[in-house]
Amino acid sequence: QALCVKPCNQLSFAHMAPFLSTPLVKGHNEAYLPIIKSSMHALQVTSGPMIMATLFSLQMLKKKLTNKHASTFYSDVWKFISKAEARDKVGRIVQYACRMLQGILAHLPADSAWQLYKPLVAECQTTLAWARRTHRWGKEMPHIPTLGKAISNCDVLQAAQSMVLITFLVQDHVYWLLKVGILKFTNYTPIQWHRRNLRFITLSHVLNFSLCVREIMQAKKKLQYAEAKGNEDAVKKAKSTIYDNKRMMVRYVLTFIQMLHVSQVKKMDDWYIGIMGMISSYIDASKQWTPTISAPPQLTPSGAMPPEQARAA
């Protein structure tokens, strides 16, 4: 029986060989165990497993130091990046960081060694822009009920903002279709269509700024009323509304300037436009960050924390 093991195994692999187009385990450059040709090749092949091993080691170190695998901060980060809107805004931060770098490189001498990175930075920026644009399909949906409600309430400002924004998003999808070749326009190249469409989002930022001003004026009236009544919760809510809208006003000013440049209505410099884009994207991303709020420690009748909570603290 022992003598039959080797011939039987050879027969089994012989039958599998016609089924596989390339070796699965070893002997091929795309197999699990390729034939190593150089030290750099070995580094490339082992980079993934080494990073995995490093992450595993860090996790076990955390378990040893804290006596638990769970992490509130880790959970908050995962909750954040699980949101499509959060990933989009983080991608926008990197996208505009690339624009900033391109602007800086444009001011360096043509023979500078840093110019070697210019094509890489441009490719990263373009790839992120198209990834974000692909994931914008359907983003107009929540704004359609808002438009209907605004029209029913005769809210001209909100209706105008919703109409302009929906138009921009729909035309952005058309740009995507033009770029991949599904649509072809005789009067517009894809980039011309895109630049024309950016004028709509520029107007949307102006209308959004106006909505923030209106919201602040309404919140200030509520604040005065709440202060007169001594309602601390209402005061806190009104102040929070005013603060949030002031932040968004800064955001809309920055994005308005960015769109003027990107649409080439007014050409400026990429380096500071990139910084503005990073700041405005951070404001958007921060709205998606919802950290877990720990419950206050419960004290024993003697006023001390329970042993379990004391160890966790």
Side-chain angles (χ1 to χ4, degrees):
Q1 291 179 353
L3 294 175
C4 292
V5 173
K6 184 175 180 181
C8 289
N9 286 343
Q10 289 178 344
L11 183 64
S12 176
F13 282 112
H15 281 295
M16 287 181 63
F19 177 75
L20 301 175
S21 301
T22 59
L24 178 65
V25 179
K26 62 180 182 178
H28 189 273
N29 202 40
E30 298 169 14
Y32 291 122
L33 302 173
I35 298 173
I36 302 300
K37 300 176 182 178
S38 65
S39 58
M40 184 56 69
H41 187 194
L43 180 62
Q44 294 165 358
V45 170
T46 58
S47 59
M50 285 193 300
I51 293 173
M52 179 277 297
T54 302
L55 295 174
F56 167 74
S57 301
L58 291 173
Q59 180 63 31
M60 295 310 295
L61 177 62
K62 178 192 179 303
K63 173 65 168 64
K64 186 175 182 180
L65 294 175
T66 65
N67 200 31
K68 59 182 180 180
H69 282 295
S71 168
T72 302
F73 177 72
Y74 186 92
S75 299
D76 288 340
V77 171
W78 173 239
K79 183 170 62 174
F80 174 75
I81 62 176
S82 294
K83 300 176 183 178
E85 191 68 15
R87 292 196 302 273
D88 177 73
K89 299 313 176 186
V90 171
R92 192 173 187 270
I93 291 173
V94 180
Q95 178 187 341
Y96 272 87
C98 291
R99 181 177 287 276
M100 177 195 69
L101 291 174
Q102 287 201 83
I104 293 172
L105 290 171
H107 290 281
L108 295 179
D111 57 352
S112 171
W114 294 103
Q115 298 295 350
L116 294 174
Y117 296 99
K118 192 171 184 178
L120 301 176
V121 173
E123 181 64 24
C124 181
Q125 178 185 337
T126 303
T127 301
L128 282 169
W130 279 104
R132 294 181 59 240
R133 185 166 291 110
T134 301
H135 287 279
R136 276 204 286 267
W137 282 87
K139 202 169 182 179
E140 64 278 1
M141 291 179 65
H143 302 288
I144 297 172
T146 303
L147 172 60
K149 183 178 178 181
I151 292 175
S152 297
N153 295 337
C154 298
D155 188 343
V156 177
L157 183 58
Q158 181 62 67
Q161 190 278 332
S162 297
M163 285 190 288
V164 172
L165 182 58
I166 293 169
T167 302
F168 162 77
L169 290 168
V170 171
Q171 293 182 160
D172 190 62
H173 306 331
V174 173
Y175 176 39
W176 189 93
L177 295 172
L178 287 169
K179 187 67 176 181
V180 299
I182 295 176
L183 290 180
K184 292 187 183 295
F185 290 169
T186 57
N187 296 316
Y188 290 99
T189 63
I191 191 61
Q192 287 175 331
W193 178 264
H194 174 55
R195 288 172 180 163
R196 174 183 177 271
N197 192 35
L198 289 177
R199 298 172 187 239
F200 286 83
I201 194 64
T202 305
L203 176 59
S204 176
H205 295 323
V206 175
L207 296 172
N208 271 319
F209 185 92
S210 303
L211 285 169
C212 286
V213 172
R214 186 177 72 177
E215 189 73 17
I216 288 174
M217 293 173 64
Q218 293 173 351
K220 284 183 176 180
K221 292 180 180 179
K222 293 179 181 179
L223 177 61
Q224 291 176 351
Y225 180 79
E227 287 177 337
K229 293 291 184 179
N231 189 334
E232 293 184 4
D233 290 338
V235 168
K236 187 180 295 185
K237 184 178 179 181
K239 287 183 177 180
S240 176
T241 299
I242 293 171
Y243 172 75
D244 290 341
N245 278 278
K246 285 182 177 180
R247 284 183 87 228
M248 292 307 294
M249 287 171 69
V250 173
R251 187 260 191 201
Y252 292 130
V253 169
L254 294 174
T255 49
F256 175 79
I257 298 171
Q258 293 160 44
M259 292 306 104
L260 287 179
H261 172 69
V262 179
S263 64
Q264 295 194 351
V265 171
K266 171 63 178 177
K267 292 184 181 180
M268 289 171 267
D269 202 312
D270 275 337
W271 75 263
Y272 59 80
I273 292 296
I275 293 174
M276 289 182 182
M278 293 167 66
I279 295 171
S280 61
S281 300
Y282 167 77
I283 293 173
D284 286 337
S286 65
K287 294 168 64 178
Q288 304 300 319
W289 177 259
T290 52
T292 302
I293 301 175
S294 301
Q298 296 179 355
L299 302 179
T300 62
S302 62
M305 292 175 61
E308 296 80 6
Q309 292 189 14
R311 283 195 295 270

